[in-house]
Amino acid sequence: MTIRKKGWISALSLTVVTALALTGCGSNNNGGDSNNGNTANKTDNEAGSKNAGASKENVTLTYTIWDQLQQPAMEAIGKEFTAENPNIKVKVEVIPWGDYWTKMSAAAPAGTLPDVFWMHSGQFVKYASGKFLEPITDKVKNGEINLDDYAANLGSIYQLDGENYAIPKDFDTIGLAYNKELFDQANVPYPDDTWDYAKLAEVAKQLSQPDKGIYGFAAKMDTQGGYWNDILANGGSILSADGTKSGYDDPASIEALKARYQMIVDKASPSHQQMTDTDSTEMFKSGKIAMIFEGDWRTTDIDASDIIKGKWNWAPLPKGKAKRGDIINGLGNVMSAKGKHKDEAWLFLKFLGSKRAAEITAEMGAAIPAFKDTQAAWVKSRPQLNLQVFIDQAAEATPYPAGTKAYPVWFPKESEIMAQAWGGKISIEEGAKQVAEMMNKAIEENK
C-alpha cells in the first residue's frame, strides 16, 4: 500500500493461498473473521507497547519506509508510542521506492539495517532466508502478538520455514479509476459493478480521441496492477494452486492477455512506448486517460493532482468470464536481526501492530490497515471517493503469488519477456509461453 511497486508483492505459503482466497487477500481487504485468539492476546495487541521488557536508557530507533505520503501518519504513530515510552524516540526515515531496496540490499550483509522497517512480500524471502530479519515466532507463541487480529490471515504472508518475521501493516487491492469529466463530455454513464470486460473495451473505444492524445483506457504492461487481474477474471492463473506450475500458458490466461493488448491495437489505449515514456497513472492524473487499473495506495497521489482533483472516482474492476479478478497484497513491519536495541525495537514493532496504530493509519488516510475492523475510518478519510470498493473486492481477491524461493528468480524475467510482447517484437501468445517455460524452470531449480 503506499507507493507499492508492481512486483510488488507477496510471499505466501500454500496454506496462505487457500486462506486468503477464501477470506480476501493481501493489501486491500478487511476480511474480518472474528478474533480466534484469547482475550489476553487481543489485549496485548491493542495495548501495543505496554508490556515492557526494554531497559530505561534513552534510545532513538530508526523506522524506515518508502512512501513520503505516509510519513505524517507513521510519525504520528511514533509520537504516540514515545508518549507511552518516554525513553524511546522514533526517527522516521523515508527512502523512495527506487532506492529503497538498493540501500537495504547493501545494509543487510553489512549489519546496518534500520531497527524497524517496511517489508514487501516480493522481497521477503530474500531477507528472511539471508537471516537478516529478527524472527518473532516466540512472541507469537507466547501471546505477545496475536496474528489472528489481522484481516485475511495476513500474518502468514511473512512466514518461512515455520518462522514468523513480520507484523501485518496494511493491505491493498486494485480498483478502476475513472475520469468523470471525460465520461460526462461523452454522455457515457460511469463504470459500476455491472461492468464486464466487454463493456470496458467498448467504452474505452468510445472515449478515445487519439488525435487529441486522449485514450479510454491504459492497457499497461503490469502484473499486480494490470493483466494479472485480467487473467484471474478470465479463469486463468498466474501459478497453479499448489505453486508448482506457471499458469501463463493456460489458454484462458493467453486470451486475457490478448484482449488487453487488443485495446492498444484498437487505439483505445496509448501504445506501450507511450506508457514507457510517461507513466500511465501520470497520464491519468493529467486528464489524458479516462480509465486505469490502479492500487488504492495511489489514491493520495492521484487526488493531489490539481488537474483531476474532484473530477475522478473509483469503481470495482470489471467482471470476467470466471469472476471479478483482483490481486491482494499486504506490507509488513519487521526488525533487523542485527539491531543494537532489539528490546526497544520489539516494543515499537508491537505497537505498530496494535489496534491504536491501525486507527491512526486509517484516520489519516495513509493506507488500509491490516488490523481487523479498523478499515472504516480509512474509507471515511476521503468521503468524496468510493474507497469502499477496495474493501468489498477483498472477498474475491487472490494473493500476490510470491510465496516460494523461485519468485525472486522468475519475477524480474517476466517483465523482460512481456516487454517484448507488449512492444510488438513477439506475439502475446509467444511471450506468455516463454514466461511459462521460464517460470517452470525457476520453480524446478528453486524448490
Side-chain angles (χ1 to χ4, degrees):
M1 99 244 257
T2 316
I3 295 175
R4 215 168 277 191
K5 282 299 186 187
K6 351 170 183 172
W8 347 331
I9 322 184
S10 111
L12 297 159
S13 66
L14 297 179
T15 332
V16 173
V17 170
T18 303
L20 287 180
L22 290 174
T23 59
C25 316
S27 297
N28 206 19
N29 122 357
N30 78 342
D33 289 344
S34 60
N35 177 31
N36 296 320
N38 60 40
T39 304
N41 285 353
K42 185 166 184 179
T43 300
D44 283 346
N45 272 26
E46 292 186 358
S49 62
K50 292 182 180 178
N51 295 330
S55 68
K56 294 301 179 183
E57 66 173 310
N58 291 325
V59 168
T60 297
L61 299 174
T62 299
Y63 179 35
T64 305
I65 68 175
W66 61 69
D67 186 1
Q68 189 173 16
L69 296 174
Q70 289 200 50
Q71 185 175 0
M74 299 306 102
E75 289 178 341
I77 291 170
K79 287 178 182 177
E80 191 148 327
F81 169 77
T82 298
E84 292 186 13
N85 303 271
N87 64 304
I88 310 175
K89 291 182 170 51
V90 177
K91 177 184 178 183
V92 177
E93 177 186 46
V94 181
I95 300 175
W97 175 271
D99 298 321
Y100 190 89
W101 297 111
T102 300
K103 293 190 176 182
M104 292 299 177
S105 293
T112 57
L113 284 168
D115 297 290
V116 180
F117 57 102
W118 283 2
M119 177 51 59
H120 192 285
S121 54
Q123 295 283 339
F124 166 66
V125 172
K126 170 184 174 181
Y127 287 82
S129 60
K131 307 299 182 186
F132 302 127
L133 307 180
E134 181 72 12
I136 61 169
T137 314
D138 290 345
K139 308 293 188 183
V140 174
K141 288 180 177 178
N142 69 22
E144 288 190 62
I145 198 77
N146 180 10
L147 295 180
D148 289 332
D149 279 337
Y150 307 97
N153 200 19
L154 288 170
S156 297
I157 292 177
Y158 295 100
Q159 286 181 344
L160 185 68
D161 298 332
E163 295 277 9
N164 299 92
Y165 290 92
I167 297 178
K169 175 192 176 293
D170 58 36
F171 66 86
D172 54 71
T173 53
I174 308 301
L176 176 66
Y178 64 94
N179 183 317
K180 295 190 293 184
E181 186 173 58
L182 292 178
F183 273 79
D184 291 342
Q185 289 172 358
N187 197 29
V188 174
Y190 301 151
D192 59 33
D193 61 4
T194 68
W195 274 37
D196 58 16
Y197 274 83
K199 183 68 172 179
L200 175 71
E202 173 194 332
V203 174
K205 284 184 183 180
Q206 193 173 350
L207 297 180
S208 290
Q209 304 175 64
D211 56 327
K212 296 182 180 179
I214 295 174
Y215 297 90
F217 183 68
K220 56 184 176 178
M221 188 206 87
D222 194 4
T223 51
Q224 182 185 8
Y227 47 65
W228 277 359
N229 305 283
D230 306 353
I231 287 172
L232 295 170
N234 203 49
S237 67
I238 300 144
L239 280 173
S240 59
D242 61 4
T244 61
K245 185 179 183 299
S246 173
Y248 269 71
D249 53 355
D250 183 314
S253 300
I254 293 173
E255 182 180 54
L257 291 166
K258 285 182 175 180
R260 173 172 282 250
Y261 186 74
Q262 186 63 40
M263 298 176 83
I264 294 177
V265 175
D266 293 341
K267 299 191 184 302
S269 165
S271 68
H272 177 60
Q273 187 61 54
Q274 286 175 291
M275 291 184 284
T276 300
D277 293 341
T278 305
D279 176 71
S280 54
T281 303
E282 293 301 318
M283 295 172 74
F284 178 79
K285 287 165 58 177
S286 65
K288 298 298 184 181
I289 290 178
M291 296 178 287
I292 187 171
F293 284 9
E294 254 303 356
D296 62 84
W297 61 88
R298 293 300 295 264
T299 298
T300 300
D301 177 34
I302 294 172
D303 211 41
S305 168
D306 291 335
I307 295 173
I308 200 171
K309 188 175 181 65
K311 301 175 183 178
W312 74 289
N313 209 339
W314 291 109
L317 294 187
K319 295 179 290 186
K321 292 180 179 179
K323 61 180 181 179
R324 197 187 309 277
D326 206 310
I327 293 289
I328 190 168
N329 188 27
L331 295 189
N333 283 303
V334 297
M335 55 185 283
S336 170
K338 299 293 185 181
K340 295 179 180 179
H341 307 288
K342 287 188 182 181
D343 289 338
E344 292 83 358
W346 165 245
L347 290 182
F348 181 53
L349 186 66
K350 184 179 176 183
F351 186 78
L352 285 167
S354 70
K355 184 175 183 180
R356 179 57 191 145
E359 289 171 345
I360 294 171
T361 298
E363 289 163 4
M364 295 184 70
I368 307 173
F371 203 100
K372 288 179 179 176
D373 301 324
T374 62
Q375 293 81 28
W378 179 79
V379 172
K380 294 176 182 176
S381 67
R382 286 184 173 80
Q384 76 278 16
L385 297 174
N386 184 18
L387 298 182
Q388 185 64 37
V389 300
F390 295 104
I391 309 299
D392 294 343
Q393 288 182 155
E396 296 181 88
T398 298
Y400 193 99
T404 69
K405 292 179 180 179
Y407 171 81
V409 178
W410 66 255
F411 186 75
K413 295 178 182 178
E414 188 272 355
S415 60
E416 294 176 6
I417 296 171
M418 293 308 292
Q420 295 181 54
W422 240 249
K425 294 180 180 179
I426 59 176
S427 71
I428 297 297
E429 183 169 2
E430 177 60 26
K433 290 181 176 179
Q434 284 187 27
V435 169
E437 182 179 357
M438 175 274 296
M439 287 175 68
N440 290 334
K441 181 179 179 182
I443 292 167
E444 181 63 28
E445 294 176 350
N446 294 273
K447 290 182 177 179

Short mmCIF file of all heavy atoms in Angstrom, two decimals, residues 202-254:
data_model
loop_
_atom_site.label_atom_id
_atom_site.label_comp_id
_atom_site.label_asym_id
_atom_site.label_seq_id
_atom_site.Cartn_x
_atom_site.Cartn_y
_atom_site.Cartn_z
N GLU A 202 -15.55 -1.69 -24.86
CA GLU A 202 -16.49 -0.89 -25.66
C GLU A 202 -16.42 0.59 -25.29
O GLU A 202 -16.31 1.46 -26.16
CB GLU A 202 -17.92 -1.42 -25.42
CG GLU A 202 -19.02 -0.58 -26.04
CD GLU A 202 -20.40 -0.94 -25.50
OE1 GLU A 202 -20.61 -2.11 -25.08
OE2 GLU A 202 -21.28 -0.05 -25.47
N VAL A 203 -16.46 0.88 -23.99
CA VAL A 203 -16.43 2.27 -23.53
C VAL A 203 -15.05 2.89 -23.77
O VAL A 203 -14.95 4.08 -24.10
CB VAL A 203 -16.84 2.36 -22.06
CG1 VAL A 203 -16.67 3.79 -21.54
CG2 VAL A 203 -18.28 1.91 -21.87
N ALA A 204 -14.01 2.09 -23.64
CA ALA A 204 -12.66 2.62 -23.89
C ALA A 204 -12.54 3.13 -25.32
O ALA A 204 -11.97 4.21 -25.56
CB ALA A 204 -11.62 1.52 -23.62
N LYS A 205 -13.10 2.39 -26.27
CA LYS A 205 -13.09 2.84 -27.67
C LYS A 205 -13.90 4.12 -27.81
O LYS A 205 -13.51 5.07 -28.50
CB LYS A 205 -13.69 1.78 -28.57
CG LYS A 205 -12.79 0.59 -28.87
CD LYS A 205 -13.49 -0.34 -29.85
CE LYS A 205 -12.70 -1.59 -30.13
NZ LYS A 205 -13.40 -2.48 -31.09
N GLN A 206 -15.05 4.14 -27.16
CA GLN A 206 -15.97 5.27 -27.27
C GLN A 206 -15.34 6.57 -26.75
O GLN A 206 -15.59 7.66 -27.28
CB GLN A 206 -17.24 4.94 -26.48
CG GLN A 206 -18.41 5.86 -26.73
CD GLN A 206 -19.68 5.35 -26.04
OE1 GLN A 206 -19.71 4.23 -25.53
NE2 GLN A 206 -20.71 6.17 -26.02
N LEU A 207 -14.54 6.46 -25.70
CA LEU A 207 -13.97 7.65 -25.07
C LEU A 207 -12.63 8.08 -25.67
O LEU A 207 -12.12 9.16 -25.35
CB LEU A 207 -13.78 7.40 -23.57
CG LEU A 207 -15.05 7.15 -22.75
CD1 LEU A 207 -14.70 6.93 -21.28
CD2 LEU A 207 -16.02 8.32 -22.87
N SER A 208 -12.05 7.25 -26.51
CA SER A 208 -10.73 7.56 -27.05
C SER A 208 -10.77 8.62 -28.15
O SER A 208 -11.63 8.59 -29.03
CB SER A 208 -10.07 6.29 -27.60
OG SER A 208 -9.73 5.42 -26.54
N GLN A 209 -9.83 9.55 -28.08
CA GLN A 209 -9.63 10.57 -29.10
C GLN A 209 -8.12 10.65 -29.36
O GLN A 209 -7.45 11.59 -28.94
CB GLN A 209 -10.15 11.92 -28.63
CG GLN A 209 -11.62 11.92 -28.20
CD GLN A 209 -12.04 13.26 -27.62
OE1 GLN A 209 -12.05 14.29 -28.32
NE2 GLN A 209 -12.39 13.28 -26.33
N PRO A 210 -7.58 9.65 -30.05
CA PRO A 210 -6.13 9.58 -30.25
C PRO A 210 -5.53 10.84 -30.85
O PRO A 210 -4.40 11.22 -30.53
CB PRO A 210 -5.96 8.38 -31.19
CG PRO A 210 -7.19 7.56 -30.99
CD PRO A 210 -8.28 8.54 -30.72
N ASP A 211 -6.30 11.51 -31.73
CA ASP A 211 -5.79 12.73 -32.36
C ASP A 211 -5.59 13.85 -31.35
O ASP A 211 -4.81 14.79 -31.59
CB ASP A 211 -6.74 13.19 -33.48
CG ASP A 211 -8.16 13.40 -32.98
OD1 ASP A 211 -8.58 12.65 -32.06
OD2 ASP A 211 -8.84 14.30 -33.49
N LYS A 212 -6.27 13.75 -30.20
CA LYS A 212 -6.13 14.74 -29.14
C LYS A 212 -5.28 14.21 -27.98
O LYS A 212 -5.14 14.88 -26.95
CB LYS A 212 -7.50 15.16 -28.61
CG LYS A 212 -8.37 15.86 -29.64
CD LYS A 212 -9.70 16.29 -29.03
CE LYS A 212 -10.58 17.00 -30.05
NZ LYS A 212 -11.90 17.39 -29.45
N GLY A 213 -4.76 13.00 -28.17
CA GLY A 213 -3.93 12.42 -27.12
C GLY A 213 -4.72 11.94 -25.93
O GLY A 213 -4.19 11.82 -24.81
N ILE A 214 -6.01 11.64 -26.14
CA ILE A 214 -6.88 11.15 -25.06
C ILE A 214 -7.28 9.71 -25.36
O ILE A 214 -7.70 9.39 -26.47
CB ILE A 214 -8.14 12.03 -24.92
CG1 ILE A 214 -7.73 13.45 -24.48
CG2 ILE A 214 -9.13 11.42 -23.92
CD1 ILE A 214 -8.87 14.44 -24.44
N TYR A 215 -7.17 8.87 -24.35
CA TYR A 215 -7.45 7.45 -24.53
C TYR A 215 -8.43 6.94 -23.46
O TYR A 215 -8.43 7.44 -22.33
CB TYR A 215 -6.16 6.63 -24.47
CG TYR A 215 -5.20 6.98 -25.58
CD1 TYR A 215 -4.26 7.99 -25.41
CD2 TYR A 215 -5.26 6.31 -26.80
CE1 TYR A 215 -3.38 8.33 -26.43
CE2 TYR A 215 -4.38 6.65 -27.83
CZ TYR A 215 -3.45 7.65 -27.64
OH TYR A 215 -2.59 7.99 -28.67
N GLY A 216 -9.23 5.96 -23.85
CA GLY A 216 -10.25 5.45 -22.94
C GLY A 216 -9.72 4.61 -21.81
O GLY A 216 -10.31 4.57 -20.73
N PHE A 217 -8.60 3.92 -22.03
CA PHE A 217 -8.06 3.01 -21.02
C PHE A 217 -6.55 2.91 -21.17
O PHE A 217 -6.02 3.10 -22.28
CB PHE A 217 -8.69 1.62 -21.19
CG PHE A 217 -8.25 0.60 -20.16
CD1 PHE A 217 -8.63 0.72 -18.84
CD2 PHE A 217 -7.47 -0.48 -20.53
CE1 PHE A 217 -8.24 -0.21 -17.89
CE2 PHE A 217 -7.07 -1.44 -19.59
CZ PHE A 217 -7.47 -1.30 -18.26
N ALA A 218 -5.88 2.62 -20.07
CA ALA A 218 -4.43 2.39 -20.12
C ALA A 218 -4.20 0.89 -20.02
O ALA A 218 -4.22 0.32 -18.94
CB ALA A 218 -3.74 3.11 -18.96
N ALA A 219 -3.98 0.25 -21.17
CA ALA A 219 -3.74 -1.20 -21.20
C ALA A 219 -2.27 -1.46 -20.93
O ALA A 219 -1.54 -2.03 -21.75
CB ALA A 219 -4.17 -1.77 -22.55
N LYS A 220 -1.83 -1.05 -19.77
CA LYS A 220 -0.41 -1.11 -19.43
C LYS A 220 0.08 -2.54 -19.24
O LYS A 220 -0.68 -3.44 -18.88
CB LYS A 220 -0.15 -0.30 -18.16
CG LYS A 220 -0.99 -0.72 -16.96
CD LYS A 220 -0.75 0.20 -15.78
CE LYS A 220 -1.67 -0.17 -14.62
NZ LYS A 220 -1.44 0.66 -13.43
N MET A 221 1.35 -2.72 -19.48
CA MET A 221 2.02 -3.98 -19.21
C MET A 221 2.40 -3.97 -17.73
O MET A 221 3.38 -3.37 -17.33
CB MET A 221 3.27 -4.12 -20.08
CG MET A 221 3.94 -5.48 -20.02
SD MET A 221 5.70 -5.41 -20.41
CE MET A 221 6.42 -5.05 -18.80
N ASP A 222 1.57 -4.61 -16.93
CA ASP A 222 1.77 -4.58 -15.49
C ASP A 222 1.22 -5.87 -14.90
O ASP A 222 0.31 -6.47 -15.48
CB ASP A 222 1.06 -3.36 -14.89
CG ASP A 222 1.49 -3.06 -13.47
OD1 ASP A 222 2.40 -3.75 -12.96
OD2 ASP A 222 0.92 -2.15 -12.86
N THR A 223 1.73 -6.27 -13.78
CA THR A 223 1.32 -7.51 -13.14
C THR A 223 0.23 -7.25 -12.10
O THR A 223 -0.95 -7.35 -12.39
CB THR A 223 2.54 -8.21 -12.51
OG1 THR A 223 3.25 -7.27 -11.68
CG2 THR A 223 3.47 -8.73 -13.59
N GLN A 224 0.63 -6.88 -10.90
CA GLN A 224 -0.34 -6.66 -9.82
C GLN A 224 -1.41 -5.63 -10.19
O GLN A 224 -2.59 -5.82 -9.89
CB GLN A 224 0.37 -6.21 -8.54
CG GLN A 224 -0.57 -6.01 -7.36
CD GLN A 224 0.14 -5.45 -6.14
OE1 GLN A 224 1.32 -5.07 -6.21
NE2 GLN A 224 -0.55 -5.39 -5.02
N GLY A 225 -1.00 -4.55 -10.84
CA GLY A 225 -1.94 -3.50 -11.19
C GLY A 225 -2.46 -3.60 -12.61
O GLY A 225 -3.04 -2.65 -13.13
N GLY A 226 -2.24 -4.74 -13.25
CA GLY A 226 -2.63 -4.87 -14.65
C GLY A 226 -3.19 -6.22 -15.01
O GLY A 226 -4.21 -6.65 -14.50
N TYR A 227 -2.47 -6.95 -15.89
CA TYR A 227 -3.07 -8.14 -16.51
C TYR A 227 -3.19 -9.35 -15.59
O TYR A 227 -3.90 -10.29 -15.93
CB TYR A 227 -2.32 -8.52 -17.79
CG TYR A 227 -0.82 -8.58 -17.72
CD1 TYR A 227 -0.15 -9.50 -16.94
CD2 TYR A 227 -0.06 -7.71 -18.50
CE1 TYR A 227 1.23 -9.57 -16.91
CE2 TYR A 227 1.33 -7.76 -18.49
CZ TYR A 227 1.97 -8.69 -17.69
OH TYR A 227 3.35 -8.75 -17.66
N TRP A 228 -2.56 -9.36 -14.44
CA TRP A 228 -2.82 -10.48 -13.52
C TRP A 228 -4.30 -10.51 -13.14
O TRP A 228 -4.90 -11.58 -13.01
CB TRP A 228 -1.96 -10.36 -12.27
CG TRP A 228 -0.57 -10.90 -12.46
CD1 TRP A 228 -0.05 -11.48 -13.59
CD2 TRP A 228 0.48 -10.92 -11.49
NE1 TRP A 228 1.26 -11.86 -13.38
CE2 TRP A 228 1.61 -11.53 -12.11
CE3 TRP A 228 0.58 -10.49 -10.18
CZ2 TRP A 228 2.82 -11.71 -11.43
CZ3 TRP A 228 1.78 -10.67 -9.51
CH2 TRP A 228 2.89 -11.27 -10.13
N ASN A 229 -4.88 -9.34 -12.97
CA ASN A 229 -6.32 -9.27 -12.65
C ASN A 229 -7.16 -9.79 -13.81
O ASN A 229 -8.15 -10.50 -13.62
CB ASN A 229 -6.69 -7.82 -12.32
CG ASN A 229 -5.85 -7.25 -11.21
OD1 ASN A 229 -6.05 -7.54 -10.04
ND2 ASN A 229 -4.86 -6.43 -11.57
N ASP A 230 -6.77 -9.44 -15.05
CA ASP A 230 -7.47 -9.91 -16.24
C ASP A 230 -7.42 -11.43 -16.33
O ASP A 230 -8.42 -12.10 -16.64
CB ASP A 230 -6.83 -9.34 -17.51
CG ASP A 230 -6.69 -7.83 -17.51
OD1 ASP A 230 -7.21 -7.17 -16.60
OD2 ASP A 230 -6.05 -7.31 -18.44
N ILE A 231 -6.24 -11.99 -16.11
CA ILE A 231 -6.03 -13.44 -16.19
C ILE A 231 -6.94 -14.17 -15.22
O ILE A 231 -7.63 -15.14 -15.57
CB ILE A 231 -4.55 -13.78 -15.92
CG1 ILE A 231 -3.68 -13.37 -17.11
CG2 ILE A 231 -4.37 -15.26 -15.61
CD1 ILE A 231 -2.18 -13.50 -16.86
N LEU A 232 -6.97 -13.70 -13.98
CA LEU A 232 -7.81 -14.34 -12.96
C LEU A 232 -9.28 -14.23 -13.30
O LEU A 232 -10.05 -15.19 -13.15
CB LEU A 232 -7.53 -13.70 -11.60
CG LEU A 232 -6.11 -13.90 -11.04
CD1 LEU A 232 -5.90 -13.02 -9.83
CD2 LEU A 232 -5.86 -15.36 -10.69
N ALA A 233 -9.69 -13.06 -13.77
CA ALA A 233 -11.09 -12.84 -14.11
C ALA A 233 -11.54 -13.75 -15.24
O ALA A 233 -12.70 -14.19 -15.30
CB ALA A 233 -11.33 -11.38 -14.49
N ASN A 234 -10.62 -14.06 -16.13
CA ASN A 234 -10.96 -14.87 -17.31
C ASN A 234 -10.87 -16.37 -17.03
O ASN A 234 -11.10 -17.20 -17.92
CB ASN A 234 -10.03 -14.51 -18.47
CG ASN A 234 -10.61 -14.86 -19.82
OD1 ASN A 234 -11.76 -14.54 -20.12
ND2 ASN A 234 -9.83 -15.53 -20.66
N GLY A 235 -10.50 -16.73 -15.80
CA GLY A 235 -10.41 -18.15 -15.44
C GLY A 235 -9.02 -18.74 -15.58
O GLY A 235 -8.85 -19.95 -15.43
N GLY A 236 -8.04 -17.89 -15.89
CA GLY A 236 -6.67 -18.36 -15.98
C GLY A 236 -6.00 -18.29 -14.62
O GLY A 236 -6.65 -18.08 -13.60
N SER A 237 -4.68 -18.47 -14.61
CA SER A 237 -3.95 -18.40 -13.35
C SER A 237 -2.54 -17.90 -13.59
O SER A 237 -2.02 -17.98 -14.71
CB SER A 237 -3.89 -19.78 -12.68
OG SER A 237 -3.11 -20.69 -13.44
N ILE A 238 -1.94 -17.38 -12.55
CA ILE A 238 -0.56 -16.95 -12.60
C ILE A 238 0.33 -18.14 -12.22
O ILE A 238 1.33 -18.43 -12.85
CB ILE A 238 -0.33 -15.76 -11.66
CG1 ILE A 238 -1.24 -14.60 -12.08
CG2 ILE A 238 1.13 -15.31 -11.67
CD1 ILE A 238 -1.77 -13.79 -10.95
N LEU A 239 -0.08 -18.81 -11.17
CA LEU A 239 0.55 -20.05 -10.72
C LEU A 239 -0.55 -21.06 -10.45
O LEU A 239 -1.68 -20.70 -10.11
CB LEU A 239 1.34 -19.82 -9.43
CG LEU A 239 2.74 -19.21 -9.51
CD1 LEU A 239 3.24 -18.92 -8.10
CD2 LEU A 239 3.71 -20.13 -10.24
N SER A 240 -0.21 -22.35 -10.54
CA SER A 240 -1.17 -23.38 -10.17
C SER A 240 -1.46 -23.29 -8.68
O SER A 240 -0.71 -22.67 -7.92
CB SER A 240 -0.62 -24.76 -10.51
OG SER A 240 0.60 -25.00 -9.81
N ALA A 241 -2.54 -23.89 -8.24
CA ALA A 241 -2.96 -23.80 -6.85
C ALA A 241 -1.88 -24.30 -5.89
O ALA A 241 -1.74 -23.78 -4.78
CB ALA A 241 -4.25 -24.58 -6.64
N ASP A 242 -1.10 -25.29 -6.32
CA ASP A 242 -0.04 -25.81 -5.45
C ASP A 242 1.29 -25.11 -5.66
O ASP A 242 2.30 -25.46 -5.05
CB ASP A 242 0.12 -27.32 -5.64
CG ASP A 242 0.52 -27.70 -7.06
OD1 ASP A 242 0.75 -26.80 -7.90
OD2 ASP A 242 0.59 -28.92 -7.34
N GLY A 243 1.30 -24.09 -6.50
CA GLY A 243 2.51 -23.29 -6.70
C GLY A 243 3.62 -23.96 -7.47
O GLY A 243 4.75 -23.46 -7.49
N THR A 244 3.32 -25.06 -8.15
CA THR A 244 4.39 -25.82 -8.82
C THR A 244 4.44 -25.62 -10.32
O THR A 244 5.33 -26.13 -10.99
CB THR A 244 4.21 -27.32 -8.55
OG1 THR A 244 2.94 -27.76 -9.08
CG2 THR A 244 4.26 -27.62 -7.05
N LYS A 245 3.51 -24.84 -10.88
CA LYS A 245 3.46 -24.69 -12.34
C LYS A 245 2.92 -23.32 -12.72
O LYS A 245 1.98 -22.82 -12.13
CB LYS A 245 2.58 -25.78 -12.96
CG LYS A 245 2.56 -25.79 -14.48
CD LYS A 245 1.68 -26.92 -15.01
CE LYS A 245 1.72 -26.99 -16.54
NZ LYS A 245 1.23 -25.75 -17.16
N SER A 246 3.53 -22.72 -13.73
CA SER A 246 3.06 -21.43 -14.23
C SER A 246 1.69 -21.58 -14.90
O SER A 246 1.38 -22.61 -15.49
CB SER A 246 4.05 -20.87 -15.26
OG SER A 246 3.53 -19.70 -15.87
N GLY A 247 0.90 -20.51 -14.80
CA GLY A 247 -0.40 -20.51 -15.48
C GLY A 247 -0.42 -19.64 -16.72
O GLY A 247 -1.46 -19.48 -17.35
N TYR A 248 0.73 -19.07 -17.08
CA TYR A 248 0.78 -18.15 -18.22
C TYR A 248 0.42 -18.82 -19.54
O TYR A 248 -0.07 -18.16 -20.45
CB TYR A 248 2.17 -17.52 -18.33
CG TYR A 248 2.34 -16.22 -17.57
CD1 TYR A 248 2.38 -16.21 -16.17
CD2 TYR A 248 2.45 -15.01 -18.23
CE1 TYR A 248 2.55 -15.04 -15.46
CE2 TYR A 248 2.62 -13.82 -17.54
CZ TYR A 248 2.66 -13.84 -16.15
OH TYR A 248 2.82 -12.66 -15.45
N ASP A 249 0.70 -20.12 -19.67
CA ASP A 249 0.39 -20.79 -20.93
C ASP A 249 -0.99 -21.42 -20.95
O ASP A 249 -1.37 -22.09 -21.92
CB ASP A 249 1.45 -21.85 -21.26
CG ASP A 249 1.67 -22.84 -20.12
OD1 ASP A 249 1.08 -22.66 -19.05
OD2 ASP A 249 2.46 -23.80 -20.31
N ASP A 250 -1.78 -21.18 -19.91
CA ASP A 250 -3.18 -21.60 -19.90
C ASP A 250 -3.91 -20.83 -20.99
O ASP A 250 -3.75 -19.61 -21.11
CB ASP A 250 -3.78 -21.28 -18.52
CG ASP A 250 -5.21 -21.75 -18.36
OD1 ASP A 250 -6.04 -21.52 -19.26
OD2 ASP A 250 -5.51 -22.34 -17.31
N PRO A 251 -4.73 -21.47 -21.82
CA PRO A 251 -5.46 -20.76 -22.88
C PRO A 251 -6.27 -19.57 -22.37
O PRO A 251 -6.35 -18.53 -23.04
CB PRO A 251 -6.38 -21.85 -23.47
CG PRO A 251 -5.63 -23.12 -23.23
CD PRO A 251 -4.96 -22.94 -21.89
N ALA A 252 -6.85 -19.71 -21.16
CA ALA A 252 -7.63 -18.60 -20.60
C ALA A 252 -6.73 -17.42 -20.25
O ALA A 252 -7.13 -16.26 -20.39
CB ALA A 252 -8.40 -19.07 -19.36
N SER A 253 -5.52 -17.70 -19.81
CA SER A 253 -4.57 -16.63 -19.49
C SER A 253 -4.14 -15.90 -20.76
O SER A 253 -4.09 -14.67 -20.80
CB SER A 253 -3.34 -17.21 -18.78
OG SER A 253 -3.68 -17.86 -17.58
N ILE A 254 -3.82 -16.69 -21.79
CA ILE A 254 -3.40 -16.08 -23.06
C ILE A 254 -4.52 -15.25 -23.66
O ILE A 254 -4.28 -14.15 -24.17
CB ILE A 254 -2.96 -17.20 -24.04
CG1 ILE A 254 -1.68 -17.87 -23.51
CG2 ILE A 254 -2.72 -16.63 -25.44
CD1 ILE A 254 -1.26 -19.09 -24.30
#
